[in-house]
Amino acid sequence: MTNYRLLLALPILIISNLFSQTNVQLNSAEIIQNLKKLNTVGSVLYIAAHPDDENTRLLGYMANEKKVRTGYLSLTRGDGGQNLIGKEQGELLGLIRTQELLAARRTDGAEQFFTRANDFGYSKNPEETFTFWNKDSILSDVVLTIRKFKPDVIICRFPTTGEGGHGHHTASAILAVEAFAAAADPKKFPEQLKYTDVWQAKRIYWNTFNFGGPNTTAPDQLKIDVGVFNPLLGKSYGEIAAESRSMHKSQGFGSGKQRGSNTEFFKLLKGDSTKTDLFEGINISWNRIKNTEKIQKLIDDCIKKFNAQSPENSLPELVAIYKQLQLLDEKEAYTNYWKKQKIKETEVLLLACSGLWLEAFASDYIGIPGQETMVFAQIVNRNKGTVKLNSINYLQTDTVTSLSLKTNELYTFKRKEKISSDVPFSNPYWLNEKHDVGIYTVKTSSLIGKPQNDAAQKISFDVTIQDLNLKIWRDLVYKYTDPVKGEIYRPFEVLPPVTVNISEKVFVFSDASPKTIFLTVKTNQNNFEGTLQLKASAGWNVAIKDPNIKLKNKNDEVVIEATITAGKDAANGKLEVSVAANNVAFNKSIKRIEYDHIPYQFILNDAEAGLVNVDLKKGGTNIGYILGAGDDVPAALKQIGYHVTMLTDELLLNDNLTKYNAIVTGVRAYNTNERLQIHYTKLMDYVKNGGNLIVQYNTNNRIGPVKANIGPYPFTISRDRVTDEKAEMKFSNEKHAALNFPNLITAKDFDGWIQERGIYFASEIDKEYETIFTIKDPDEKASDGSLIIGKYGKGNFVYTGLVFFRELPAGVPGAYRLFVNLLSLPQNK
């Protein structure tokens, strides 16, 4: 009999999250939980728009209490969001948020899926959203996920009627409802039927809510208490949900743990209705599949007989279950679907009960196609079951061992292996091709929906447990011991022999003076020799003193200087950089992301930078910058010749601020820096004595409350924004210096802006402030709070929600001209 008392305090790990792990390790409580899940044949798919939209409490309840296969389909990876932990934006932020979602799923037990939709930023309605996404393409991806996952029940986070606010939210519900029917229609996306089958879910619900607006729950809706306590896990689903939601660190979603009853509400959108349960009328036992009576009995017996102290005693039953699963009919699509899924789950349980540890790691985290790397394979049988290692299949070769494993003896095998010369470089698959604003380009259809790449390299172990032969795959990884953090794993990377990083992604020129650029060349192998090659667009002149590169040791790097000059009337263009070696040009740059809460990440991009020629006049030279949540505005200002000093707390306390022509606060500085309240009086004195203080956007909500007074006169930070980056900017104060000195601002200066015009505009504006623009999205009321300027003493205070933090690093000329005008506002008499 199971010793449940022993299991109560043990943490739980769910099978669905184990396939991404280097090695599967389950304690006895986890084995019991997963045995019960093995006896459940049902699934539910949750659909919403972004990372952090999902209901983690409901996902945890479905995966662990109902024990159904549970998935979350996030249409986007969150590239267009904000970042509370660093400067990464766009694709880099999407990579962070992808990994945060996967960390959340490892916590709550669900699986993660995506479409090709790109989060292009805030959208106010689904019509706008679909102009970017290409509705039919994203609908195809949702249909594909449903057909592959085969959910009995689909749940939307948001309604089709707009109460979810964000246009992406409403679009996700519209697509989910349409896909509910389309997935069952063989005439819809018939090309998918070459590798999957049509599927009709039983019903689709909207998980109604009472947050962020009107209460959409109602007494007559289906209600489920998901706050129950699971004694095997030792946690309630409110506690699990908080741990899962707190993985969304870049979005500031750290959550307190909720305990006690907690009701979720559901409104039927399509399909047959229910009264008491989402799965009402759906058989989620093995009885729904023909000829599975023996399987269910074997699992029941295995659960009943399980001995927490000796899990290896369950191996005979698990071997029998595995063999019975193998006998299921592969010709019937639904049976074959569950056959494959339950074989995977049973394999995990076999390894767990046998105590079998298998691992493959390399001597370095970087490998190069066509070159050798040292590979280690380890195996240990930590329980008393009978296990035999038959062979190990390495990258290119096999080793036959026929070794009976002794209990708790670690076996290590070492071999130098050559990485195949045709192995592609590691890179997030959805970023391998250039893509439009609204949708990624994925040329391999089998990758669509996957949360991330498969491992760059894998090794398999051929083992026999009792009389059952299994081939167990393990990702090739790299591991090392950090003196503070302990044992650390990171993915094995396949990279080119050399990468070259350009110091800026855009170089901005305001005159004919040559600009020095820095190129960092790093080798991923020993004894690298090559030649640096630079190519600039017509009208641009590029020079380099010595292009020859000679690096002795792997990971050596050298910084090479080059100069670029804009020719007369040079049009905007680009700089392309490569390194030639052995008649091959290597043109990849690498951007790495390292945070403790996610695995190491990186992106390989083409080594190129924009070249922008701006008609720009400047006033003043010295700028003080108070860092906020992180942005690249200081680097952009340095590009056009400003001397930028980062104003630390010590400098703000002790420095004479009058030396600065202007002081700029980074995005969300007043949300993240409580010390700005201390410095308020000094900053106001700086303005009063003739300085210009430019405050970029802050938020005023739960995630980002304003922690200090900001301006000399009162105003409120609203949630008003304009998402149409092409929205007309109406000049309401044409004679103001901000539009005239030292650069004359015209409508043309707002051409080429990216993602949006502005966010978190000022409202309830004191009469001492002047407004400069009125601006609006289509069919909405105009706002005058995108840029406000108040004279205070001899100086000027500016608050702006215009997204300079996006436009300046992107090299948008008009954004530079307007921002310089704000820095150069003349003193008041």
Side-chain angles (χ1 to χ4, degrees), residues 9 164 166 238 295 303 324 342 396 406 460 494 502 511 551 560 736 789 801 812:
H166 199 315
I295 293 173
I303 294 171
Q324 285 297 314
K342 294 303 180 180
Q396 299 283 347
K406 297 179 181 179
S460 68
V494 178
I502 308 174
D511 54 39
L551 298 171
I560 297 176
H736 196 283
I789 301 174
V812 177

Side-chain angles (χ1 to χ4, degrees), residues 315-346:
L315 288 174
E317 287 87 358
L318 287 169
V319 168
I321 291 167
Y322 193 99
K323 291 180 177 179
Q324 285 297 314
L325 288 168
Q326 287 181 310
L327 296 176
L328 290 178
D329 185 7
E330 294 184 355
K331 295 180 181 179
E332 203 286 310
Y334 189 64
T335 300
N336 192 44
Y337 164 80
W338 281 111
K339 174 181 179 176
K340 291 178 179 179
Q341 179 65 23
K342 294 303 180 180
I343 281 177
K344 289 179 184 178
E345 296 179 16
T346 306

Side-chain angles (χ1 to χ4, degrees), residues 507-563:
F507 293 99
V508 180
F509 293 75
S510 57
D511 54 39
S513 302
K515 188 183 292 288
T516 300
I517 67 171
F518 301 95
L519 307 166
T520 302
V521 180
K522 183 173 184 177
T523 178
N524 296 314
Q525 67 176 50
N526 293 324
N527 302 314
F528 178 84
E529 295 186 18
T531 304
L532 193 63
Q533 300 177 327
L534 284 74
K535 178 184 176 183
S537 299
W540 296 85
N541 302 310
V542 59
I544 183 170
K545 288 183 179 180
D546 184 4
N548 297 314
I549 300 163
K550 192 172 183 178
L551 298 171
K552 182 178 180 180
N553 299 313
K554 185 175 186 176
N555 293 322
D556 281 354
E557 62 181 54
V558 62
V559 178
I560 297 176
E561 293 185 12
T563 58

Side-chain angles (χ1 to χ4, degrees), residues 266-326:
F266 304 89
K267 181 178 180 179
L268 184 69
L269 299 179
K270 278 190 175 183
D272 50 349
S273 62
T274 62
K275 295 182 179 179
T276 59
D277 188 85
L278 290 168
F279 285 86
E280 187 177 311
I282 302 173
N283 187 346
I284 58 173
S285 75
W286 279 104
N287 290 335
R288 73 188 298 178
I289 299 175
K290 294 179 180 179
N291 303 318
T292 58
E293 296 82 3
K294 193 169 184 178
I295 293 173
Q296 183 158 337
K297 185 177 186 305
L298 284 168
I299 297 172
D300 289 339
D301 290 345
C302 191
I303 294 171
K304 185 177 180 180
K305 297 176 183 178
F306 182 73
N307 185 335
Q309 298 284 7
S310 301
E312 69 272 15
N313 292 350
S314 295
L315 288 174
E317 287 87 358
L318 287 169
V319 168
I321 291 167
Y322 193 99
K323 291 180 177 179
Q324 285 297 314
L325 288 168
Q326 287 181 310

Side-chain angles (χ1 to χ4, degrees), residues 33 55-68 70 108 224-228 230 237 240 264 266 277-278:
Q33 180 76 6
N55 185 335
T56 53
R57 184 170 53 234
L58 181 61
L59 292 179
Y61 174 86
M62 287 293 165
N64 300 297
E65 189 69 22
K66 295 294 291 186
K67 300 178 180 63
V68 293
T70 304
D108 58 38
I224 300 175
D225 181 6
V226 300
V228 297
N230 187 316
Y237 297 111
I240 292 174
E264 292 290 344
F266 304 89
D277 188 85
L278 290 168

